[in-house]
């Protein structure tokens, strides 16, 4: 029991990191990005590529991959989503689904469809015990790293000029525009941030568990689930949602491995039915 | 007159209805002699096109008319196929009985999922997707449905009809299906759905019982895939979660409808035929890039022609009168879409 919770929490930080961007894009641009999982997988595989093929150390590879994923996301926003996001939300859903298909197919074409995992050599001691549970130190470092990245994102949104523009667009798009905020540029930057943090999540995840191009949709669903648990428009909510989801996903695959997806999706349905605003959601605008 | 076929708004009474049924009859008559012309391969392709037309037309009722994008609609087709397979193999039922059974099972199931209509838009889409994934998981694990576990081999169903027989079965089903869609679109239900798609709050304030019509639309659009799925089981002759609950069925419904034009009777038909042609061409010539081209096509349509082929047609025919020299000059930009 104790070990399940601890291992779940260790993964949960990464799930939260992947979901921040999803929640941000839904809140600010007002779209559900079905291509979101692609960013996670892309960031992970790019980290793997940079570390193994070009021999970069882990941390620079991680940062480089995250920035590249952010650029990809910004590009997708500028070329495609910017043209459609004001029309019916359904079209954007289908459009991002198409984008996800294209990027995934290109990924399979150039990287192959096999699952990859990155072994990172650290000089750290193997791990330590909490109670009777062995905690690998690398997993723990990644967990801390995910919390730090979440903190950086929080400061970015709350304390900077860019963050102010993002929050203004989220709360009142027209007034923001009247006050001289460039909407399309802010949206592109939002998408960049979303992609970068997702890429970071992917790069961290691939150091623990395998990733492959075909997994993008799972990550989209996971991010959505985390956001639904935590609540739209609340960073704390997403963080808590990520940790809860981590424990839940680990527990269900540990105790009932054959029906694990059903358990998580049933939970998603229950949350959507009975608490669509999530645990920390503000209630407003949750049913766009 | 031909424009009324493509129009998104409701009808103009009996004349319009007669006109649409005449078109439907002509469509059916053209397709009847096909098995005498084509070889077996192309008849199989034609059956798949018919199934795609049927699925897209069903999805169109909830997705196009009501404006609720169901992303789990493939589950009804898959369940129908399982009902067909289990009915035929385990209980030895004849095909018409399992077809009705398939429709009933999926229709009742859709009724049970009424609570997800508390959701709207994207939340509804994701809820229905969750339903699909849950059923996918259950059907794969439940011994009654012979999910594909190590020693289970799914359901092998003996085809009870010849290939031509299947072609005519599906042709008949599709004609009846489109007939019911035409009736529905011209009925009170059709008008109510049209109203609630435009503005649900306003519609309900005018006394339209929104939930009732949404449920009618959902059950209608779930029952037909069930019927088609049950007939699909002996046609494909092997039923497993992988073969009938694939995400591609859901995607095809959505894509064909949007490609042709959502919310019109003819849109899904045009879309399904057009997509099938593209599919065949890319499948035959660029097998390796098949999914890539398909995905790129989706992106292209949604980005540059978000109204589909039908709206393209509409905007072309609507632009024509503007060229008249005596017409008043347009002021500003005229909005074409409804």
């Amino acid at each position: 029991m104790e070990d399940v919770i601890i291992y779940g929490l260790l993964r949960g930080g990464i799930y939260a990191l992947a979901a921040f961007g999803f929640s941000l894009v839904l809140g600010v641009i007002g779209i559900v990005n079905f291509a979101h999982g692609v960013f996670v997988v892309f960031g992970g595989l790019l980290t793997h590529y940079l570390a193994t093929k070009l021999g970069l150390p882990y941390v620079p590879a991680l940062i480089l991959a995250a920035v590249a994923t952010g650029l990809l996301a910004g590009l997708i926003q500028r070329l495609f989503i910017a043209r459609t996001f004001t029309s019916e939300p359904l079209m954007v859903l289908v459009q991002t689904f198409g984008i996800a298909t294209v990027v995934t197919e290109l990924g399979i074409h150039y990287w192959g469809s096999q699952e990859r995992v990155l072994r990172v050599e650290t000089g750290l001691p193997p791990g330590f015990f909490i109670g009777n549970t062995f905690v690998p130190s690398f997993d723990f470092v990644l967990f801390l790293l995910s919390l730090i990245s979440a903190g950086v994102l929080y400061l970015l949104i709350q304390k900077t000029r860019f963050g102010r523009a993002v929050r203004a667009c989220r709360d009142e798009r027209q007034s923001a525009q009247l006050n001289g905020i460039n909407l399309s540029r802010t949206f592109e930057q939002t998408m960049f941030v979303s992609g970068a943090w997702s890429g970071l999540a992917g790069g961290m995840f691939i150091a623990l568990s395998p990733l492959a191009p075909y997994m993008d949709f799972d990550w989209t669903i996971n991010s959505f689930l985390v956001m639904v648990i935590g609540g739209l428009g609340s960073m704390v909510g997403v963080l808590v949602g990520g940790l809860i989801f981590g424990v839940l996903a680990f527990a269900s695959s540990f105790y009932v491995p054959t029906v694990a997806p059903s358990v998580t999706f049933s939970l998603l349905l229950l949350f959507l039915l009975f608490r669509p605003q999530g645990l920390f959601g503000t209630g407003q605008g949750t049913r766009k | 007159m031909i424009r009324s076929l493509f129009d998104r708004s409701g009808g103009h009474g009996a004349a319009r209805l007669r006109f649409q049924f005449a078109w439907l009859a002509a469509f059916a008559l053209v397709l009847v002699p096909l098995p005498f012309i084509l070889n077996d391969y192309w008849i199989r392709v034609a059956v798949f096109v018919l199934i795609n037309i049927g699925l897209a037309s069903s999805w169109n009722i909830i997705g196009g008319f009501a404006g609720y994008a169901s992303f789990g609609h493939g589950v009804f087709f898959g369940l129908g196929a399982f009902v067909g397979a289990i009915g035929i193999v385990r209980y030895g039922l004849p095909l018409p009985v399992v077809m009705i059974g398939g429709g009933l099972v999926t229709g009742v199931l859709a009724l049970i999922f009424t609570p997800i209509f508390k959701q709207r838009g994207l939340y509804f889409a994701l809820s229905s997707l969750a339903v699909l994934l849950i059923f996918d998981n259950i059907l794969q694990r439940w011994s009654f449905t012979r999910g594909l576990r190590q020693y289970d081999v799914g359901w092998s169903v003996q085809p009870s009809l010849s290939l031509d027989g299947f072609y005519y079965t599906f042709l008949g089903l599709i004609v009846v299906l489109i007939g019911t869609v035409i009736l529905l679109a011209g009925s009170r239900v059709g008008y109510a759905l049209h109203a609630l798609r435009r503005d649900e709050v306003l519609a309900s304030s005018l006394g339209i019982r929104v939930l009732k019509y949404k449920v009618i639309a959902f059950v209608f659009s779930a029952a037909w895939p069930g019927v088609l799925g049950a007939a699909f089981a002996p046609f494909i002759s092997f039923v497993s979660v992988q073969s009938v609950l694939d995400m591609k069925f859901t995607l095809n419904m959505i894509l064909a409808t949007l490609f042709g034009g959502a919310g019109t009777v003819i849109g899904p038909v045009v879309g399904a035929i057009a997509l099938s042609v593209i599919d065949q061409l890319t499948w035959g010539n660029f097998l390796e890039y098949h999914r890539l081209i398909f995905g790129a096509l989706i992106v292209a349509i949604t980005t540059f022609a978000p109204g589909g082929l039908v709206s393209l047609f509409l905007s072309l025919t609507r632009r024509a009168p503007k060229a008249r020299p005596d017409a008043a000059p347009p002021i500003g930009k005229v909005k074409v879409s409804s």
Side-chain angles (χ1 to χ4, degrees):
Chain A
M1 187 64 205
E2 184 191 82
D3 47 349
V4 169
I5 291 177
I6 288 175
Y7 284 124
L9 285 178
L10 288 177
R11 295 289 167 82
I14 298 178
Y15 287 123
L17 217 51
F20 282 133
F22 189 80
S23 171
L24 192 68
V25 165
L26 179 56
V28 176
I29 311 180
I31 59 162
V32 165
N33 181 11
F34 262 17
H36 186 77
V38 165
F39 301 155
V40 179
V41 175
F42 182 81
L45 291 177
L46 194 60
T47 308
H48 182 272
Y49 181 83
L50 292 174
T52 53
K53 290 277 155 50
L54 301 187
L56 287 181
Y58 180 59
V59 173
L62 190 62
I63 293 172
L64 211 59
V67 171
T69 314
L71 290 177
L72 175 75
L75 197 69
I76 287 174
Q77 166 69 24
R78 170 172 287 186
L79 291 183
F80 301 110
I81 299 175
R83 295 171 200 272
T84 46
F85 76 96
T86 46
S87 66
E88 288 183 48
L90 171 62
M91 291 315 279
V92 181
L93 222 59
V94 176
Q95 184 190 38
T96 49
F97 205 100
I99 293 170
T101 311
V102 170
V103 179
T104 303
E105 285 301 308
L106 287 176
I108 289 176
H109 196 71
Y110 290 108
W111 271 327
S113 54
Q114 67 269 42
E115 301 178 356
R116 293 158 197 271
V117 65
L118 184 66
R119 291 269 158 252
V120 180
E121 293 293 329
T122 56
L124 297 168
F128 56 91
F129 282 89
I130 298 177
N132 291 323
T133 311
F134 178 75
V135 181
S137 52
F138 182 64
D139 292 33
F140 189 70
V141 168
L142 279 189
F143 178 67
L144 288 183
L145 202 59
S146 67
L147 290 187
I148 293 169
S149 327
V152 171
L153 184 59
Y154 183 80
L155 291 179
L156 188 68
I157 300 292
Q158 295 296 333
K159 301 290 178 197
T160 64
R161 194 181 165 76
F162 160 72
R164 246 197 337 270
V166 165
R167 279 179 291 135
C169 289
R170 181 189 67 196
D171 295 338
E172 196 60 66
R173 196 177 284 175
Q174 272 182 331
S175 309
Q177 207 165 13
L178 284 174
N179 281 299
I181 291 172
N182 184 340
L183 270 193
S184 49
R185 206 177 68 208
T186 309
F187 286 167
E188 275 165 28
Q189 288 165 342
T190 306
M191 209 60 173
F192 174 84
V193 168
S194 163
W197 260 261
S198 310
L200 207 59
M204 285 159 66
F205 191 81
I206 202 168
L208 300 176
S209 292
L211 277 179
Y214 67 84
M215 293 178 181
D216 65 298
F217 200 60
D218 294 341
W219 277 97
T220 306
I221 298 286
N222 288 350
S223 305
F224 186 80
L225 208 65
V226 167
M227 194 204 72
V228 168
I229 295 173
L232 176 62
S234 155
M235 273 195 70
V236 180
V238 171
L239 184 60
V240 176
L243 296 178
I244 293 175
F245 178 75
V247 173
L248 187 94
F250 197 82
S252 60
S253 62
F254 185 77
Y255 291 115
V256 281
T258 50
V259 290
S262 289
V263 173
T264 40
F265 290 125
S266 305
L267 187 90
L268 169 66
L269 261 188
L270 288 179
F271 256 98
L272 284 171
L273 288 181
F274 297 111
R275 203 169 164 78
Q277 73 272 38
L279 294 176
F280 293 84
T282 44
Q284 285 282 316
T286 48
R287 292 198 182 187
K288 275 187 197 172
Chain B
M1 190 64 202
I2 198 166
R3 286 180 50 91
S4 74
L5 231 104
F6 297 88
D7 210 354
R8 202 177 188 183
S9 55
H12 309 290
R16 179 194 166 89
L17 222 57
R18 266 203 304 279
F19 177 72
Q20 288 182 325
F21 274 116
W23 266 95
L24 180 62
F27 172 74
L29 278 180
V30 170
L31 292 183
V32 164
L34 276 191
F36 301 106
I37 308 167
L38 301 174
N39 61 22
D40 279 4
Y41 172 75
W42 286 106
I43 298 176
R44 269 190 95 78
V45 172
V47 171
F48 274 105
V49 176
L50 286 174
I51 293 172
N52 277 340
I53 293 176
L55 290 179
S57 294
S58 316
W59 188 87
N60 186 34
I61 299 298
I62 188 72
F65 280 84
Y68 275 71
S70 166
F71 269 71
H73 232 64
V75 74
F76 299 118
F77 182 70
L79 277 175
F82 268 93
V83 170
I86 295 173
I88 291 171
V89 174
R90 186 169 285 167
Y91 302 108
L93 298 172
L95 188 59
V97 176
V98 293
M99 272 157 53
I100 295 169
L104 282 178
V105 168
T106 54
V108 169
L109 200 80
L111 210 55
I112 295 172
F113 280 103
T114 305
I116 65 172
F117 278 103
K118 279 169 78 175
Q119 314 295 327
R120 270 193 211 165
L122 309 164
Y123 279 70
F124 175 80
L126 270 298
S127 295
S128 54
L129 183 66
V131 171
L132 170 76
L133 295 168
I134 290 170
F135 269 93
D136 183 300
N137 204 241
I138 291 174
L139 288 177
Q140 281 205 58
R141 304 294 167 197
W142 195 15
S143 56
F144 181 76
T145 56
R146 284 196 206 162
L148 267 188
R149 277 177 305 182
Q150 206 145 26
Y151 301 107
D152 271 334
V153 286
W155 298 87
S156 297
V157 188
Q158 283 300 317
S160 51
L161 298 168
S162 65
L163 188 56
D164 289 1
F166 276 115
Y167 177 79
Y168 287 118
T169 308
F170 278 108
L171 182 59
L173 281 176
I174 297 316
V175 169
V176 176
L177 196 167
I178 296 176
T180 54
V181 171
I182 291 175
L183 286 177
L184 187 102
S187 74
R188 224 184 151 70
V189 182
Y191 296 127
L193 293 177
H194 189 62
L196 78 87
R197 183 189 70 236
R198 301 289 282 277
D199 192 333
E200 197 161 330
V201 178
L202 184 61
S204 90
S205 79
L206 289 172
I208 297 172
R209 283 163 67 193
V210 178
L211 182 66
K212 180 179 121 185
Y213 289 109
K214 283 192 287 191
V215 171
I216 289 176
F218 196 49
V219 170
F220 183 94
S221 73
W224 271 113
V227 176
L228 291 171
F232 185 65
F235 173 69
I236 195 172
S237 76
F238 177 73
V239 172
S240 71
V241 171
Q242 277 76 9
S243 74
V244 297
L245 250 144
D246 198 291
M247 192 67 199
K248 72 171 186 241
F249 287 108
T250 310
L251 282 182
N252 267 342
M253 292 181 206
I254 301 171
L255 290 178
T257 309
L258 294 179
F259 194 55
T264 59
V265 175
I266 201 172
V269 181
V270 174
I273 294 173
L275 272 193
S276 302
V277 169
I278 294 165
D279 200 36
Q280 276 296 319
L281 290 178
T282 53
W283 187 251
N285 298 322
F286 324 91
L287 185 57
E288 202 181 339
Y289 298 100
H290 173 246
R291 274 179 62 83
L292 181 64
I293 293 172
F294 216 65
L297 202 71
I298 299 166
V299 178
I301 299 164
T302 47
T303 311
F304 301 110
L309 292 177
V310 167
S311 82
L312 213 61
F313 174 84
L314 273 186
S315 64
L316 286 180
T317 54
R318 215 169 273 192
R319 205 164 290 151
K322 253 194 248 164
R324 286 205 320 262
D326 56 330
I331 305 159
K333 209 175 168 187
V334 181
K335 215 167 175 216
V336 177
S337 63
S338 55

